[in-house]
Amino acid sequence: MALHSLGPQVEGFSDQGRFLAIYTISAVTSFVTSYALKPHHCQGSSGAVFGLAGALAMYHYRHRHVLGEESSNILQSLRNSLEVNLKIGLLCPLIDSW
């Protein structure tokens, strides 16, 4: 669901190659970090999706003067989503938050 929502937005301000690079680098970095901090089998694409959210946040933060209220709304929405996901990750011991 998050990829379906964030993907087109990120791809809208970048090309397909940059989108793929952001997604892949975020996925690999999150996997390596997770494994280094808690070496066990982990799976999922949440790190890559959070990387896309970070790219979207940086785009709107850098262009907030041009995009105006739209940027403020999107940044607020991304911050709320991050807070909820962090709380869920910290409260559920089966979720690897690292």
Side-chain angles (χ1 to χ4, degrees), residues 1-13 19 48-54 56-57 74 78:
M1 183 74 143
L3 181 58
H4 186 268
S5 173
L6 294 172
Q9 292 182 61
V10 174
E11 197 172 15
F13 66 79
F19 173 86
V49 172
F50 276 105
L52 293 178
L56 183 62
I74 289 178
L78 288 170

Side-chain angles (χ1 to χ4, degrees), residues 76-92:
Q76 179 67 35
S77 176
L78 288 170
R79 185 175 70 200
N80 292 343
S81 294
L82 177 63
E83 288 176 4
V84 168
N85 281 289
L86 284 175
K87 288 176 185 175
I88 291 171
L90 293 173
L91 292 174
C92 183

Side-chain angles (χ1 to χ4, degrees), residues 39-53:
H40 62 80
H41 180 72
C42 60
Q43 61 187 15
S45 64
S46 60
V49 172
F50 276 105
L52 293 178

Side-chain angles (χ1 to χ4, degrees), residues 23-36 42 44-49 96 98:
Y23 188 86
T24 303
I25 291 169
S26 298
V28 170
T29 303
S30 66
F31 174 79
V32 169
T33 303
S34 176
Y35 189 79
C42 60
S45 64
S46 60
V49 172
D96 180 12
W98 311 110

